[in-house]
């Protein structure tokens, strides 16, 4: 059982994940750089804008790979949330991370060919990939072509609202990335999960 | 009864006076009307200077002649009627000898009034700081290129000028009016060449580096980047050389935006944001990038980030020491 390997991550998924990872990291760094408007930062403002635009287009295109990949392959079923135990299941997983794992409790939802993500992980992935990322892409496209944006939404400036949505979602994705990277280090060994997403094989 | 009759004679006298005053007023209005810019065909100067061609009697040839008007001498009477100098007549500034035609050629050698001749040292125009404006202007590229020949009227047409920036509540109108002053020469080869001696640069090409060029040109004035901002003047008038122009996005796109000291300095625009309630202040801040537009969101994002980092540090400690 200890050396059992499952082919978790098909090649298209790993390519998408790679492009997405690099793109998102570039977007976060250039995004913070632009937002903070740090003049003496490592990246000049113009460079930051150009890099952000290019990375944004790459992430948007790779999102299509993710979206249609999940729609047309069986990988999509890992993202389906069960109604029964809607709250109980993720809470149980959270309890494991916060308490159980330090007190000899074994993982409540061990990964298998049927279950690639634990419930808490699944919830986060669904929120990020089917809410935050689409919102950030749509608002990003709007800011890329600002003449498309409605000028006034009640008393607000349309551009202002779009910009706030874009950066708020960007911030949410950044926080997700930090947690994602940290939780990924909770494996058989801290480097285990990082190896899996590159090779495709997961040790169970 | 007696009292009544004396009252009647008083009323009669009053009536006579009233009619007299009315008559004077009517003559006054009639003569003003004859000079009004609104009725150009009746105006002694504008009957020719508002049209592309004019007719005059050539007394030497003894016949009437029809000629083209120099296009630079054709005046926009509609704009004149709403300009700041609308209450003045042509001969208030130009020599009264212009009343006859053909105009005496020597008249063009006479010095014209400059703005400061009327506006300088006048208490009622103190808030416009005309003297300080002149001081700043003398540092500008315009003065360096053309000296005293670069009069105020090169940008501020004395015939049609309106104080749009001080009175309008629409940023777009203010920007449009201001930028047209620059473009009147900077997109006109003949006028530009007169002052500089060389051809005008292609503005769209020169500003190629600027993202969303069209939107920028609609929402900020040329002078935002091309003048030195001073605290004591609304517009410094020290137009900088192109090498010194602002080319740094963050100068405007930051919480400490330069625009607050230039375009949004006008009280009419600040008032606009107050009128629309607290929330519409946001609409004046939309040039700030991202959540930094809202100090509350900014604070929240820092707190959330620190909480996540703290959580991770504590969790890793447990992982290291508890196992």
């Amino acid at each position: 059982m200890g050396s059992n390997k499952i082919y978790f991550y098909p090649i298209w998924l790993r390519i998408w994940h790679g492009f997405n990872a690099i793109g998102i990291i570039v977007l976060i760094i250039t995004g913070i750089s632009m937002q903070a408007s740090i003049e003496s930062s490592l990246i000049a403002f113009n460079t930051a804008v150009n890099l952000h635009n290019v990375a944004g287009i790459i992430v948007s295109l790779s999102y299509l790979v993710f979206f249609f990949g999940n729609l047309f392959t069986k990988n999509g079923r890992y993202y389906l949330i069960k109604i029964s135990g809607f709250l109980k299941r993720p809470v149980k997983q959270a309890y494991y991370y916060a308490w159980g794992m330090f007190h000899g409790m074994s993982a409540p939802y061990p990964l298998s060919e049927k279950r690639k993500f634990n419930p808490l992980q699944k919830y986060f992935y669904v929120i990020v990939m089917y809410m935050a990322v689409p919102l950030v892409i749509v608002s990003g496209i709007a800011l890329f072509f600002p003449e498309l944006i409605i000028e006034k939404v009640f008393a607000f400036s349309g551009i202002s609202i779009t910009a706030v949505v874009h950066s708020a979602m960007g911030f949410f994705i950044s926080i997700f990335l930090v947690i994602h990277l940290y939780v990924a280090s909770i494996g058989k060994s801290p480097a285990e999960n990082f190896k899996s997403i590159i090779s495709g094989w997961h040790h169970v | 009864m007696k009292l009544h009759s004396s009252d009647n004679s008083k009323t009669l006298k009053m009536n006579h006076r009233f009619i007299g005053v009315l008559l004077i007023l009517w003559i006054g209005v009639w003569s003003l009307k004859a000079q009004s810019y609104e009725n150009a065909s009746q105006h002694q100067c504008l009957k020719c200077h508002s049209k592309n061609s004019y007719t005059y009697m050539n007394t030497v040839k003894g016949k009437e002649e029809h000629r083209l008007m120099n296009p630079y001498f054709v005046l926009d009477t509609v704009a004149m009627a709403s300009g700041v100098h609308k209450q003045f007549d042509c001969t208030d500034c130009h020599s009264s000898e212009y009343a006859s035609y053909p105009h005496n050629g020597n008249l063009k050698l006479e010095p014209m009034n400059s703005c400061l001749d009327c506006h300088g040292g006048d208490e009622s125009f103190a808030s416009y700081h005309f003297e300080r404006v002149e001081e700043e202007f003398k540092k500008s590229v315009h003065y360096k290129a053309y000296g005293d020949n670069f009069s105020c009227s090169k940008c501020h047409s004395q015939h049609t000028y309106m104080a749009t920036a001080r009175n309008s509540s629409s940023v777009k109108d203010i920007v449009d009016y201001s930028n047209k002053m620059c473009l009147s020469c900077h997109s006109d080869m003949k006028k530009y060449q007169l002052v500089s001696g060389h051809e005008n640069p292609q503005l769209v090409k020169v500003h190629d580096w600027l993202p969303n060029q069209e939107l920028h040109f609609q929402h900020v004035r040329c002078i935002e980047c091309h003048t030195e901002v001073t605290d004591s003047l609304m517009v410094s008038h020290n137009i900088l050389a192109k090498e010194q122009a602002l080319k740094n996005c963050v100068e405007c796109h930051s919480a400490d935006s330069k625009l607050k000291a230039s375009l949004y300095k006008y009280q009419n625009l600040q008032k606009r944001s107050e009128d629309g309630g607290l929330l519409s202040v946001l609409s004046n801040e939309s040039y700030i990038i991202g959540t930094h537009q809202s100090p509350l969101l900014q604070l929240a994002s820092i707190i959330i980030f620190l909480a996540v980092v703290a959580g991770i540090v504590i969790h890793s400690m447990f992982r290291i020491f508890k196992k």
Side-chain angles (χ1 to χ4, degrees):
Chain A
M1 190 70 183
S3 62
N4 257 2
K5 287 205 292 185
I6 307 173
Y7 189 61
F8 249 1
Y9 311 110
I11 186 75
W12 69 265
L13 192 99
R14 280 180 284 147
I15 290 172
W16 161 74
H17 189 267
F19 273 107
N20 202 50
I22 294 163
I24 294 273
I25 288 167
V26 171
L27 286 169
I28 290 172
I29 293 168
T30 53
I32 290 172
S33 162
M34 282 190 289
Q35 157 139 318
S37 308
I38 311 161
E39 218 176 311
S40 55
S41 66
L42 287 172
I43 321 154
F45 191 89
N46 285 5
T47 321
V49 172
N50 290 338
L51 276 174
H52 201 81
N53 289 345
V54 172
I57 292 165
I58 290 172
V59 166
S60 304
L61 290 178
S62 86
Y63 183 77
L64 294 177
V65 175
F66 169 85
F67 187 81
F68 289 109
N70 273 354
L71 203 63
F72 295 121
T73 74
K74 58 184 180 162
N75 190 62
R77 72 194 155 103
Y78 297 121
Y79 291 83
L80 298 176
I81 290 173
K82 284 178 189 156
I83 304 288
S84 69
F86 181 76
L87 281 176
K88 220 176 105 189
R89 291 160 59 85
V91 167
K92 200 169 172 186
Q93 181 68 31
Y95 174 78
Y96 167 73
Y97 279 141
W99 181 263
M101 65 182 277
F102 305 119
H103 294 83
M105 187 176 153
S106 56
Y109 300 100
L111 305 189
S112 67
E113 284 192 32
K114 279 193 170 175
R115 186 193 296 125
K116 201 163 81 170
F117 311 135
N118 70 52
L120 194 62
Q121 190 181 8
K122 189 194 288 181
Y123 281 44
F124 265 101
Y125 286 4
V126 167
I127 292 170
V128 166
M129 290 314 297
Y130 290 105
M131 191 199 83
V133 172
L135 267 176
V136 97
I137 289 174
V138 169
S139 57
I141 291 170
L143 290 172
F144 204 64
F145 303 102
E147 47 285 303
L148 296 178
I149 300 174
I150 304 162
E151 207 157 290
K152 278 265 177 281
V153 183
F154 301 109
F156 290 102
S157 139
I159 288 188
S160 182
I161 293 173
T162 317
V164 169
V165 167
H166 189 74
S167 57
M169 286 303 121
F171 172 75
F172 180 75
I173 294 168
S174 315
I175 290 294
F176 166 80
L177 178 67
V178 173
I179 298 170
H180 184 55
L181 288 173
Y182 177 70
V183 177
S185 76
I186 308 175
K188 282 216 156 66
S189 77
E192 184 66 29
N193 285 328
F194 295 100
K195 284 179 193 159
S196 302
I197 193 63
I198 290 166
S199 69
W201 291 94
H202 187 75
H203 291 265
V204 181
Chain B
M1 275 302 267
K2 208 179 173 188
L3 202 86
H4 199 87
S5 75
S6 90
D7 242 22
N8 263 352
S9 71
K10 255 188 190 169
T11 320
L12 213 67
K13 258 187 199 164
M14 288 272 280
N15 271 347
H16 279 141
R17 255 187 227 162
F18 185 65
I19 289 167
V21 168
L22 260 186
L23 200 72
I24 291 167
L25 269 178
W26 184 76
I27 292 169
V29 168
W30 179 81
S31 62
L32 268 179
K33 211 177 168 191
Q35 295 286 10
S36 161
Y37 298 140
E38 275 157 34
N39 199 354
S41 58
Q42 300 289 317
H43 191 283
Q44 199 178 11
C45 307
L46 294 176
K47 64 184 174 192
C48 295
H49 282 284
S50 66
K51 289 177 190 151
N52 294 322
S53 64
Y54 63 103
T55 311
Y56 72 103
M57 185 63 196
N58 187 331
T59 47
V60 179
K61 290 182 191 166
K63 62 173 183 181
E64 209 165 62
E65 283 192 334
H66 196 57
R67 283 197 175 191
L68 283 174
M69 175 64 80
N70 178 338
Y72 293 104
F73 295 158
V74 179
L75 292 163
D76 179 349
T77 53
V78 176
M80 277 175 92
S82 48
V84 283
H85 294 139
K86 63 182 171 210
Q87 66 270 44
F88 293 102
D89 198 26
C90 308
T91 49
D92 288 340
C93 304
H94 299 278
S95 166
S96 56
E97 285 182 57
Y98 275 111
S100 65
Y101 189 85
H103 301 316
N104 178 357
N106 282 335
L107 285 175
K108 68 172 68 171
L109 304 180
E110 283 181 9
M112 299 273 256
N113 281 331
S114 78
C115 301
L116 281 157
D117 288 337
C118 295
H119 293 292
D122 188 332
E123 275 297 302
S124 52
F125 294 106
S127 67
Y128 293 82
H129 304 287
F130 276 97
E131 295 85 358
R132 283 270 294 117
V133 165
E134 194 193 27
E135 213 175 281
E136 290 296 315
F137 160 71
K138 290 211 160 151
K139 299 180 199 161
S140 74
V141 280
H142 286 153
Y143 187 74
K144 282 175 192 149
Y146 209 47
D148 285 325
N149 285 325
F150 201 104
S151 55
C152 309
S153 63
K154 286 274 182 290
C155 309
H156 307 278
S157 160
Q158 69 279 37
H159 294 125
T160 60
Y161 189 70
M162 290 195 286
T164 312
R166 283 173 188 260
N167 301 321
S168 174
S169 59
S170 153
V171 178
K172 272 193 168 179
D173 288 351
I174 294 174
V175 168
D176 184 60
Y177 194 80
S178 174
N179 288 353
K180 273 183 183 155
M181 284 190 236
C182 307
L183 292 173
S184 73
C185 288
H186 283 268
S187 68
D188 183 304
M189 202 171 66
K190 286 178 203 158
K191 283 189 179 178
Y192 186 89
Q193 229 162 7
L194 172 75
V195 170
S196 70
H198 56 86
E199 273 184 34
N200 54 326
Q202 294 299 307
L203 295 182
V204 173
K205 222 177 186 178
V206 187
H207 293 95
D208 227 6
W209 63 275
L210 184 69
N212 295 313
Q213 206 187 88
E214 208 183 321
L215 275 175
H216 274 107
F217 290 169
Q218 278 169 10
H219 289 92
V220 282
R221 301 171 298 178
C222 309
I223 55 174
E224 251 67 82
C225 302
H226 290 278
T227 58
E228 194 182 49
V229 169
T230 54
D231 286 337
S232 52
L233 289 174
M234 294 315 260
V235 174
S236 119
H237 286 77
N238 177 8
I239 315 287
L240 300 167
K242 67 172 188 294
E243 295 77 21
Q244 288 164 274
L246 211 69
K247 211 179 173 181
N248 197 348
C249 312
V250 297
E251 294 275 356
C252 293
H253 292 283
S254 62
D256 187 26
S257 176
K258 188 174 171 282
L259 287 176
K260 281 183 184 165
S262 52
L263 181 57
Y264 291 102
K265 200 173 177 178
Y266 290 98
Q267 280 179 347
N268 39 319
L269 288 184
Q270 282 167 15
K271 198 159 171 278
R272 185 190 69 155
S273 64
E274 285 158 22
D275 290 346
L278 189 68
L279 295 176
S280 70
V281 174
L282 263 178
S283 63
N284 270 357
E285 306 258 333
S286 49
Y287 45 83
I288 303 171
I289 294 171
T291 37
H292 281 215
Q293 287 179 14
S294 156
L296 201 71
L297 282 177
Q298 194 185 344
L299 183 71
S301 66
I302 292 168
I303 290 172
I304 293 169
F305 178 74
L306 291 178
V308 167
V309 171
I312 287 175
V313 170
I314 293 166
H315 200 263
S316 344
M317 299 285 238
F318 272 99
R319 275 171 71 196
I320 294 164
F321 297 115
K322 192 81 186 179
K323 260 196 169 174

